[in-house]
Structure formats: structure tokens, C-alpha cells
């Protein structure tokens, strides 16, 4: 029930007062005898004496109340005027009333004094406020380089990505400041108006920064680069690797480029060149018919024209403005503005960006799904897109399952044979050399079985995850396109648009994409 319903309203209080005045007047009139003066007190005087001896209503009885906010951080006092015979309240009375209603701390002394002095009645006034908790702040590092693995590329007005603005390579010089540590800040407990303590979160310090950094003895919180090179934040530490940087073009005269770290090429890569990097490759210019291999990521700012001979392979992701007539293999995602007549294989996703971003011709496979603006074109060039695991993955999983079952059977038979020989040894017979040979063979089979089981679990996990893969097209899907999931195929007989395809119950289902 609301507090306003627990007490009389102002109008009801006024009506009650009028009734009391009328009652008093009636008593006075009844106590007088017309035309006769009594030697004693008149009836009116007697009634007045009676009323004077009545105690005025206390704060608890006259409709005053204390209201608390939901979080108990503020208390409001609603005070009724004092009754007849009492000029004003005292500070002691109000504090006692607040304490009786559970408000024990955080008093606004000035507000309480103002209520008494200015006779502020029949209004809720803030008379107490709790102390807000100040939570502690954990220690943190302020990095003087971008700790993100990728710099966000610029998005053009047509929705395509400007890969020239994207870089996975950020260099530092030896001795430059790379990080500053800010120590944890302790919090401060708070309390509400009822005196309940609100505990502050404890602040934590974090470990010292690891990696290729050094600190000054004067200020151990400032970290410097221990050498020059490309800087990254890896596994909570600073990793600085030397970058092989080429400021011009890479031509047949340059020949093969091989480097264990990162390779950064500011110019073009002409036809016939092979580039191998243990980590990342970034080409700021155009790439012709060349072979690129990277243990990390590959970024082709102006794309590649492969001439049906180029190969691009990365254990990580591949980013390109466009990919044309090229074989591409990525352990992660492939992201581009257009793919033309190429053979793409990605263990992650294939994402084609931009309003005109399209996959036209060739074969595009992505284990975790494909997203494009358009697939195919008006001339109905045959375009195959495949999501989920390939047929070879399913075949390999079946092969491993059968192989592991056979190895497990061999191990059981060997264990039984070894056990029989050991029983014979317990009867006094010597163990033949065959037992030692069997033990070695069993150990080798156990190792092979364990490796096979590990590979099978990985394939099983990939198959399970690939069942949620989708092919989403935000524009047209042209006639001549072949949609594939696993061994299932769905030829597009009529050009359609805004479609999403996914496997369901051994079939390829489709639904219309809804844009809000």
C-alpha cells in the first residue's frame, strides 16, 4: 500500500479540524446558563481548561512519515504541522523520529534545520543521503601502439573495403616507449541511510609485461622496445620481430623472397615471383601471377590478377581488394571486395563486401559459411559455392574411425598375448624375446591410435560446427549458380535475390533474408 493511503489527506485534515472546532463550540454553548452568572467558572472556561490539558498529537500520530528510496540511499521526511499548543518541532524530535524509522546516518543537518526554522510542512524533503561506493580499479597497461591484431580498414561509400588503409604491420624503434603501467586504485566502501555498509570491489594488480621489452630502473612502470621491428601483443606479452621491408617492386630480377618473419612490400609484385614468409605478408601495390606463402596472414591492398597460375596460401587470414584467376587457401577467413574465376578454400568464412561485391565463376569453399552481395552474373557463368565440410573430410573421418577400430583390436590382442606370456613366466619359465618385441609394437600402436583419435575428434568437431554454416546473399543469386553443402547440391534455375541457404534434414533449405 502506498504511504499516501496510510494517512489523511490535507482536505480530510481540514474537515477534521472544523468538526473539532464545531464540537468545542457546542460544548461551550451547552455549558452556559442564559441570564445567570455563576460564582464559579463558566462552562466555556471549564472546557477550555480541559482542552488545554490535552497533549498535542506526536509526530508518529499526526500523519508525518519517512520515505526511503528503493536503493535506501536517500531518506525523505514528510512532516505535518504540530498540533495546537505546540509552536514548532525540535531538532532532537526529528532525529529521534528518523531513527525510529530506521534512518541512522547521512543526515542533512542543514535541511533539518531549515525545516524547523522555515516550518516546511506537508512536503517530502531530503533529510539523509548515503555514501555511494567507490569501486576499485584494476591495474592496466596503456599501450603506445595498437594492441589489436588488425587495424580497421576504411569502408568506402559503396560498402566496399579500402584495403590500402589496412595494415597488420606496426613497427617500433629500439628504445621507444611501448607501454606504461597504471597501478590499481583501491576503492572506498559506501553506506546507505540505514547504516548498511556497501563493500567496494577489490582492485587487483596484473603481472609485469613479458616479452622483448626493457624497463628503466628509475621508473619500472615504463616499458621500452628492446629492439627494432614489427610489434604485436601476443599471449599477454610484447613480441617484436624483424620485418623484411622492400620499398620498390619485386621483379624476376629480385627473384625469390624468403624470410622467417614478416615481409612488407611497398611496391608491386610482378609475374613469376615467389614470396615465402614465416609470419605475415603485406603487399601495398598490385600482385600479378605470383606465388605467396605465409605462416600468418596475407594482405593484398590492391588485389591479385593470377592469370590462372597464381597461388596464395596462408595459415591465417587472407585480405584482398579483389582476387582474379587465383588459387587461394586460407587456414582462417578470406575477405575481399570481389572474387572472379578463382578457386578459394577457407577453413573459416568467405566474406565479400560492398554493394557490388560478388563471387563470379570458379569454385568457392568456406567451412564456416559464405556471405556475399551477389553470386554469379547476368551471362549465367557457372559459379559453385560450397559451405561446410568437403567430401574429403567426411571420407577421412570414416577412414580414421575404421582405422582406429582395427588398431584398438590389435592392441587388445597384443595385451592378451603379453599377459599369457607373463603368466608362463610366473610359473618359472623365462620371458621370450618376443614379449619385448610385442611391447614395442604395442607402444607404437598406442601412439598411432592416440594420434588417429586426436585427428578424428578434430574432424568430428569441424563436421558438427559446419552443420551450422550458411550461404547468405544480400543481392542477386543468378541462374547458373550451384549451391552446395557437404555432398548436397542445389542448382539455381531462376535468378532470385536476398536469400539464405542452409542444410536441414539432409536437404538444402532456403529462406528470404529480412532487412530492418
Amino acid at each position: 500500500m502506498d504511504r499516501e493511503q496510510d494517512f489523511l489527506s490535507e482536505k480530510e485534515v481540514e474537515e477534521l479540524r472544523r468538526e473539532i472546532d464545531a464540537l468545542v463550540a457546542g460544548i461551550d454553548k451547552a455549558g452556559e446558563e442564559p441570564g445567570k452568572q455563576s460564582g464559579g467558572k463558566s462552562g466555556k472556561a471549564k472546557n477550555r481548561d480541559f482542552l488545554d490539558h490535552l497533549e498535542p498529537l506526536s509526530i508518529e500520530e499526526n500523519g508525518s512519515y519517512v520515505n526511503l528510496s528503493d536503493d535506501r540511499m536517500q531518506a525523505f521526511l514528510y512532516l505535518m504541522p504540530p498540533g495546537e499548543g505546540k509552536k514548532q518541532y525540535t531538532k532532537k524530535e526529528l532525529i529521534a523520529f528518523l531513527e525510529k524509522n530506521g534512518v541512522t546516518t547521512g543526515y542533512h543537518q542543514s535541511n533539518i534545520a531549515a525545516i524547523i526554522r522555515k516550518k516546511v510542512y506537508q512536503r517530502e524533503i531530503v533529510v539523509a543521503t548515503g555514501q555511494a561506493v567507490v569501486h576499485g580499479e584494476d591495474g592496466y597497461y596503456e599501450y603506445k601502439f595498437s594492441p589489436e591484431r588488425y587495424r580497421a580498414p576504411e569502408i568506402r561509400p559503396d560498402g566496399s573495403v579500402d584495403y590500402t588503409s589496412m595494415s597488420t604491420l606496426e613497427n617500433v624503434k629500439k628504445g621507444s616507449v611501448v607501454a606504461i603501467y597504471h597501478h590499481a586504485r583501491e576503492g572506498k566502501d559506501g553506506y546507505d541511510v540505514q547504516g548498511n555498509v556497501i563493500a567496494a570491489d577489490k582492485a587487483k594488480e596484473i603481472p609485469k609485461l613479458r616479452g622483448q621489452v626493457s624497463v628503466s630502473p628509475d621508473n619500472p612502470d615504463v616499458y621500452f622496445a628492446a629492439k627494432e621491428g614489427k610489434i604485436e601483443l601476443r599471449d599477454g606479452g610484447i613480441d617484436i620481430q624483424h620485418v623484411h621491408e622492400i620499398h620498390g617492386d619485386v621483379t624476376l630480377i629480385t627473384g625469390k623472397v624468403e624470410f622467417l618473419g614478416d615481409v612488407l612490400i611497398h611496391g608491386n609484385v610482378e609475374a613469376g615471383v615467389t614470396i615465402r614468409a614465416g609470419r605475415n605478408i603485406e603487399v601495398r601495390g598490385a600482385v600479378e601471377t605470383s606465388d605467396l606463402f605465409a605462416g600468418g596472414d596475407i594482405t593484398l591492398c590492391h588485389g591479385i590478377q593470377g592469370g590462372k597460375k597464381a597461388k596464395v596460401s596462408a595459415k591465417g587470414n587472407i585480405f584482398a581488394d579483389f582476387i582474379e584467376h587465383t588459387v587461394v587457401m586460407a587456414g582462417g577467413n578470406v575477405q575481399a571486395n570481389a572474387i572472379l574465376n578463382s578457386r578459394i578454400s577457407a577453413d573459416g568464412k568467405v566474406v565479400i563486401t560492398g554493394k557490388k561485391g560478388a563471387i563470379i565463376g570458379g569454385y568457392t569453399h568456406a567451412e564456416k559459411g559464405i556471405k556475399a552481395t551477389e553470386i554469379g552474373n547476368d551471362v549465367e557463368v557457372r559459379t559453385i559455392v560450397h559451405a561446410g565440410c568437403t567430401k574429403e573430410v567426411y571420407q577421412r573421418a570414416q577412414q580414421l574411425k575404421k582405422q582406429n577400430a582395427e588398431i584398438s583390436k590389435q592392441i587388445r590382442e597384443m595385451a592378451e598375448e603379453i599377459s599369457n606370456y607373463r603368466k608362463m613366466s610366473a610359473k618359472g619359465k623365462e620371458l621370450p624375446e618376443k614379449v619385448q618385441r610385442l611391447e614395442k609394437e604395442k607402444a607404437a600402436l598406442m601412439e598411432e591410435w592416440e594420434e588417429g583419435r586426436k585427428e578424428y575428434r578434430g574432424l568430428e568437431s569441424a563436421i558438427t560446427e559446419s552443420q551450422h554454416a550458411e550461404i547468405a546473399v544480400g543481392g542477386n543469386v543468378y541462374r547458373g549458380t550451384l549451391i552446395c553443402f557437404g555432398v548436397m547440391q542445389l542448382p539455381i534455375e531462376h535468378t532470385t535475390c536476398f536469400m539464405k541457404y542452409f542444410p536441414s534434414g539432409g536437404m538444402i533449405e532456403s529462406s528470404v533474408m529480412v532487412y530492418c
Side-chain angles (χ1 to χ4, degrees), residues 158 337-338 352-358 373-374:
D158 65 353
N337 290 321
I352 310 302
T353 54
K355 293 181 180 179
K356 296 182 180 180
T373 305
E374 293 191 345

Side-chain angles (χ1 to χ4, degrees), residues 135-138 185-187 189 200-204:
H135 291 294
E137 184 177 335
D138 293 341
R185 293 169 56 187
E186 291 298 329
D189 292 345
D201 293 339
K202 298 298 182 182
K204 299 178 182 178

